[in-house]
PDB file of all heavy atoms in Angstrom:
ATOM      1  N   GLU A  27     -69.611 -26.619 -89.624  1.00 73.00           N
ATOM      2  CA  GLU A  27     -70.787 -25.866 -89.160  1.00 73.00           C
ATOM      3  C   GLU A  27     -70.359 -24.771 -88.172  1.00 73.00           C
ATOM      4  O   GLU A  27     -70.789 -23.626 -88.254  1.00 73.00           O
ATOM      5  CB  GLU A  27     -71.754 -26.821 -88.468  1.00 73.00           C
ATOM      6  CG  GLU A  27     -73.175 -26.259 -88.413  1.00 73.00           C
ATOM      7  CD  GLU A  27     -74.106 -27.271 -87.774  1.00 73.00           C
ATOM      8  OE1 GLU A  27     -74.064 -28.455 -88.197  1.00 73.00           O
ATOM      9  OE2 GLU A  27     -74.817 -26.872 -86.857  1.00 73.00           O
ATOM     10  N   GLU A  42     -71.153  -4.316 -88.794  1.00 68.00           N
ATOM     11  CA  GLU A  42     -71.540  -3.318 -87.798  1.00 68.00           C
ATOM     12  C   GLU A  42     -70.402  -2.313 -87.616  1.00 68.00           C
ATOM     13  O   GLU A  42     -70.616  -1.100 -87.585  1.00 68.00           O
ATOM     14  CB  GLU A  42     -71.827  -4.025 -86.474  1.00 68.00           C
ATOM     15  CG  GLU A  42     -72.510  -3.128 -85.470  1.00 68.00           C
ATOM     16  CD  GLU A  42     -72.761  -3.857 -84.149  1.00 68.00           C
ATOM     17  OE1 GLU A  42     -72.939  -5.076 -84.162  1.00 68.00           O
ATOM     18  OE2 GLU A  42     -72.752  -3.169 -83.127  1.00 68.00           O
ATOM     19  N   ASP A  63     -63.413  24.915 -86.710  1.00 51.00           N
ATOM     20  CA  ASP A  63     -62.172  24.881 -87.450  1.00 51.00           C
ATOM     21  C   ASP A  63     -61.428  23.582 -87.157  1.00 51.00           C
ATOM     22  O   ASP A  63     -60.538  23.526 -86.317  1.00 51.00           O
ATOM     23  CB  ASP A  63     -61.351  26.106 -87.041  1.00 51.00           C
ATOM     24  CG  ASP A  63     -60.047  26.168 -87.799  1.00 51.00           C
ATOM     25  OD1 ASP A  63     -59.976  25.546 -88.871  1.00 51.00           O
ATOM     26  OD2 ASP A  63     -59.113  26.809 -87.303  1.00 51.00           O
ATOM     27  N   LEU A 144     -91.755   2.531 -50.119  1.00 93.00           N
ATOM     28  CA  LEU A 144     -90.541   2.821 -49.356  1.00 93.00           C
ATOM     29  C   LEU A 144     -89.858   1.569 -48.803  1.00 93.00           C
ATOM     30  O   LEU A 144     -88.651   1.371 -48.996  1.00 93.00           O
ATOM     31  CB  LEU A 144     -90.894   3.802 -48.226  1.00 93.00           C
ATOM     32  CG  LEU A 144     -89.698   4.360 -47.491  1.00 93.00           C
ATOM     33  CD1 LEU A 144     -88.861   5.232 -48.402  1.00 93.00           C
ATOM     34  CD2 LEU A 144     -90.156   5.151 -46.275  1.00 93.00           C
ATOM     35  N   GLU A 171     -87.877   4.465 -67.054  1.00 92.00           N
ATOM     36  CA  GLU A 171     -87.675   4.634 -68.504  1.00 92.00           C
ATOM     37  C   GLU A 171     -87.506   3.249 -69.126  1.00 92.00           C
ATOM     38  O   GLU A 171     -86.951   2.359 -68.480  1.00 92.00           O
ATOM     39  CB  GLU A 171     -86.402   5.441 -68.773  1.00 92.00           C
ATOM     40  CG  GLU A 171     -86.616   6.941 -68.656  1.00 92.00           C
ATOM     41  CD  GLU A 171     -85.369   7.728 -68.979  1.00 92.00           C
ATOM     42  OE1 GLU A 171     -84.626   7.321 -69.894  1.00 92.00           O
ATOM     43  OE2 GLU A 171     -85.148   8.743 -68.294  1.00 92.00           O
ATOM     44  N   LEU A 266     -67.962  14.580 -57.029  1.00 98.00           N
ATOM     45  CA  LEU A 266     -68.820  15.662 -56.529  1.00 98.00           C
ATOM     46  C   LEU A 266     -69.047  16.725 -57.609  1.00 98.00           C
ATOM     47  O   LEU A 266     -70.156  17.238 -57.772  1.00 98.00           O
ATOM     48  CB  LEU A 266     -68.189  16.313 -55.286  1.00 98.00           C
ATOM     49  CG  LEU A 266     -68.769  15.866 -53.934  1.00 98.00           C
ATOM     50  CD1 LEU A 266     -68.573  14.391 -53.707  1.00 98.00           C
ATOM     51  CD2 LEU A 266     -68.199  16.667 -52.780  1.00 98.00           C
ATOM     52  N   LYS A 374     -74.330  19.909 -79.503  1.00 89.00           N
ATOM     53  CA  LYS A 374     -73.593  18.700 -79.930  1.00 89.00           C
ATOM     54  C   LYS A 374     -72.183  19.048 -80.410  1.00 89.00           C
ATOM     55  O   LYS A 374     -71.217  18.352 -80.113  1.00 89.00           O
ATOM     56  CB  LYS A 374     -74.365  18.009 -81.055  1.00 89.00           C
ATOM     57  CG  LYS A 374     -75.279  16.926 -80.549  1.00 89.00           C
ATOM     58  CD  LYS A 374     -75.301  15.758 -81.523  1.00 89.00           C
ATOM     59  CE  LYS A 374     -75.888  14.543 -80.839  1.00 89.00           C
ATOM     60  NZ  LYS A 374     -77.237  14.244 -81.148  1.00 89.00           N
TER      61      LYS A 374
END
Side-chain angles (χ1 to χ4, degrees):
E27 201 177 311
E42 192 181 330
D63 181 22
L144 189 66
E171 278 182 37
L266 259 61
K374 266 217 164 102

